[in-house]
Amino acid sequence: MKKIRHLFNWILLLGSTLMVCLILGVILYDIFSKGMSSVSWHFITRFPTNGMTKGGILPAMIGTLLLTFITTIFSVPFGIACAVYLNEYARPSVLTNIIRASIRNLAGIPSIIYGLFGLALFVQSLRLGTSVLSAGLTLGLLSLPYIITTTEEALKRIPNSMREATLALGATQFETIKDVVLPKALPGILTGVILTMSRAAGETAPILFTGVAFYINGISASPNQEFMALPYHLYMLSTQHQSIEEVRPLAYGTATVLILLVFVLNIVAFYIRFKHRTKD
Amino acid sequence: MKYYFCYLIVLLPACSQENKTIKIKGSDTEVNLAVQLAESFHEVNAGVFVSISGGGSGLGIASLLNGTADVANSSRSINSGEINLFEKKGAKIDSFIFAQDAIAFVVADDLPIDSVNTDDLAGILSGRYKNWSSLTGKNMIINIYGRQSNSGTHDFVKKKLGIEFTPYAKQMNGNAQILEAIKADHSGIGYVGAGYVTHGSSTGIKVLPVYQDKNEKAISPLDANMIAAGKYFFQRPLYQYYKAASFDKIKPFLDFEKSDTGQKIIQLAGYYPVIK
Amino acid sequence: MNIKKRESTDWLLKQVFKAAGLVTIGLLAGIFLMLLYNSIAFFADVKPVDFFTGSQWDPESSTSKYGIAPLLVSTGLVTLGAMVIAIPLGIFTAAFLSELAHPKLKTILKPVIEMLAAIPSVAIGFLGIVLVGPGIAKIFGIQNGLNALNGSVLLAVMALPTVITISEDAINAVPHSHREASLALGANKWETLFKVTLPASLPGLIAAVMLGLGRALGETMTVLMATGNAAVLPKGFLDAVRTITATIAIEMGEVPYQTTHYFALFAIAVVLFLITLAINLLGEYFANRLRKFHA
């Protein structure tokens, strides 16, 4: 009897774990097996044609890259500065506690609400219109708490003795941060930045009303234009397009490219972290 | 230092307000057509970008009002509430009819019904009829696949029949999702633009011809002659609204739509040329 | 560089860093005030009683109806379903990872969970349309699988990585002395796990559930794509539902700015904001209790 119960417990725990692996397996298998055949050099270097029933996803890829770029250069300096303040300057105080609580709550706000905020602030109040700039800034705000948390973790791993040594040599606190702390924490920060990019590349809800378009017939690097994005392209192809069945292979292809892009970024981040950890 | 440079790259062009993109928004019925027009337009006029988004007709007009679109595609005429909003803003708008669309009512092809009366349609869509038995003799629950309340198609059908939709009508994201649902659902009924039926794959579904009273012949939305004569009950012009002030900016695109190439694309996409 | 200049640079940059810290408070306050400001404009047009008790959401009908109930019930139903799936699955997996898995196996399983977390929500929603939806339709013999159950299954997948990661941390945080004491008293491995280790990590597990719940509540694209979007009070898991997030996503693009309908979307956003805020605070409270408990 006892043995059966033990076996049952084993199955319960192992089964749950296997189930989680199975879920990932099914997701990847379904998308890759049906999507890989659509992915080709042609697919990622051409414009959509014939009313988006043929051709490639080039403008969506360019749009996603441009969007991620704007998101990153906006959120990274802010995020790092905030993390530096929290980890290097701030003493435990009410203010510090409020800042930390704000960051944790910002991380919990649904992404669609960031979309509303971006619409009210960037599109309307600042008159940036629906554009890749508005969308990038909105995603930048969304990424802030994430960048701050990962950067702070990286800063925490720098031993205090290093800071003390520099300070004892007569460097000011800023010089210590600039010349010792940040360079040493760089791999950790970089990991966070890359993971943020991967999240930004996959987000859809915040860009819905801040600048993403179904289709654009040319490529321009100008940030005050509307743009196409990979995740939105997938959404559009699978729910909004006129002939959903006809474009299903394109939707699978887009999903494959999107997931591959996100995974590549994650693997790069993982590699940096791994290399850095083993060095210590 | 490099960082500031990146900022400049992003911010400088943003400040120089040279806006050469024509933003077209609204109407799922028209979006595909607009995309095809924009594709060909790029071949003759590469200097002007066109960005297109779908959504309902309400989206187009709202975006025009909000200043986030230059052209509002709409499958319904602008209503008095919206006109008021434009007047409040002091913006004068003009419109242009660039094609005719007909709404097709579709069911699965094994449903024993060949045509439908407008009264019965009103009964079905308002929720008065819940079962197919009185219409087809088959005892099956009626499932309605419609559009979201903001869609021009939804609005048009509602007004044309003088009903409020039953809240149990499923609100699908677009015409294509409706067709797909009907293919899978043998007791479903839905409405889509005729262009979707003629252009997309139409296996597994059939289009119901519509008549108003018993003595009349039922007319199919796929009958081009009847559409040209304006005889089909659910037919409507497709509008493009724009602010009079921005006419110069969008003129190249409107000219292209009126050109022979443009008209040909419209016909190939399953819509009907404008009645002159 | 002379010392004075270096010191003034130091002071200046400290202020810059501090300002960046203050921006986060400003951002949270800004988001809340923006939502609140627009909601107040809404409640000037529509009575709060009608908003909270009305059973219909139909802003575009001739008599605009702004009852949040169908959206709230839809959101609740989908999330409840997701949690019923994700909580046992997540906690058992976490227990397996921390108590039973060989360290080598763990180095394989951890990235699996990270990969699951990295998959964009729109890709999960896509699978809801092409895979889960048709599957549900077949199993239950219904015509269309775009319903609450579909949304629940997908949201469970999205909440799982959060639940697993935080639960595992919580279980790991239980001191080894607890386990050793239990084993020394003659309890076997399973009794120790279920009667000592898991109960001791309970606050952390609750925190994991809360954060997973927050994630599921706020998710937009998956539910928008997979739940059918009918804004009526659902009768069960096989009905189409429309969550608060999906309603905002569908309708925000389509309303003229500064109209009642536009403000209404901010009003439902405030409700969503407050719910997620409450859940996050609750999660944090339990996470802190765990920290204090083991400190």
Side-chain angles (χ1 to χ4, degrees), chain A residues 49-52 73 76-77 130 133 212-220 223 225-226 240-242 244-245 248, chain B residues 3 7 10 13-14 21 23 25 31-32 35-36 38-39 42 49-54 68 173 176 180 183 196 199:
Chain A
T49 56
N50 301 45
M52 293 193 281
I73 65 161
V76 167
T130 46
L133 185 62
V212 77
F214 265 43
Y215 173 80
I216 183 157
N217 69 350
I219 287 175
S220 145
Q225 290 214 347
E226 297 197 339
Q240 310 276 300
H241 196 274
Q242 155 173 331
I244 290 189
E245 281 178 1
R248 195 59 28 105
Chain B
Y3 232 97
Y7 269 109
V10 170
T21 309
K23 295 176 182 175
K25 289 192 180 166
V31 66
N32 221 67
V35 166
Q36 294 186 25
E39 268 174 37
H42 193 61
F49 292 119
V50 182
S51 78
I52 292 162
S53 293
T68 55
N173 268 323
E180 195 151 284
K183 275 174 202 171
Y196 281 79
H199 187 74

Side-chain angles (χ1 to χ4, degrees), chain C residues 13-24:
Chain C
L13 280 149
K14 182 178 172 178
Q15 303 313 313
V16 170
F17 288 130
K18 189 167 183 177
L22 294 177
V23 162
T24 57

Side-chain angles (χ1 to χ4, degrees), chain B residues 55-56 58-59 62-63 65-66 68 85 143 145 148-150 158 164 167-169 171-173 177 181 184-187, chain C residues 56 58-62 129 143-144 146 224-225 228-232 235 240 242 250-251 253-257 259 261:
Chain B
L59 182 143
S63 306
L65 192 65
N66 297 339
T68 55
L85 288 171
N143 288 326
Y145 295 90
Q148 284 139 15
S149 55
N150 296 357
K158 188 171 91 174
E164 289 287 335
Y168 293 100
Q171 301 196 349
M172 312 301 277
N173 268 323
Q177 254 194 337
D185 186 344
H186 297 282
S187 65
Chain C
Q56 264 185 301
D58 194 2
E60 292 293 296
S61 73
S62 41
I129 295 174
Q143 304 289 6
N144 187 311
L146 297 181
L224 174 63
M225 292 165 86
N229 298 325
V232 279
K235 291 198 200 76
R242 165 127 56 99
I250 291 170
E251 294 177 9
E254 319 207 338
V255 296
Y257 296 163
T259 55
H261 187 181

Side-chain angles (χ1 to χ4, degrees), chain C residues 90-139:
Chain C
I91 291 181
F92 289 145
T93 305
F96 180 82
L97 279 176
S98 89
E99 303 296 293
L100 298 175
H102 189 272
K104 263 196 185 147
L105 185 62
K106 239 168 121 173
T107 55
I108 302 172
L109 288 174
K110 278 258 171 183
V112 165
I113 292 155
E114 277 175 30
M115 272 162 95
L116 199 57
I119 295 176
S121 58
V122 68
I124 307 257
F126 177 61
L127 283 174
I129 295 174
V130 296
L131 192 70
V132 184
I136 288 174
K138 218 180 233 173
I139 293 169

Side-chain angles (χ1 to χ4, degrees), chain C residues 190-242:
Chain C
W190 297 107
E191 286 163 342
T192 307
L193 175 64
F194 285 114
K195 293 187 178 147
V196 177
T197 317
L198 284 185
S201 60
L202 193 62
L205 298 182
I206 296 176
V209 169
M210 288 295 158
L211 291 176
L213 189 64
R215 174 102 208 252
L217 272 175
E219 180 47 50
T220 308
M221 296 317 289
T222 25
V223 286
L224 174 63
M225 292 165 86
T227 57
N229 298 325
V232 279
L233 282 168
K235 291 198 200 76
F237 276 102
L238 297 180
D239 279 356
V241 295
R242 165 127 56 99

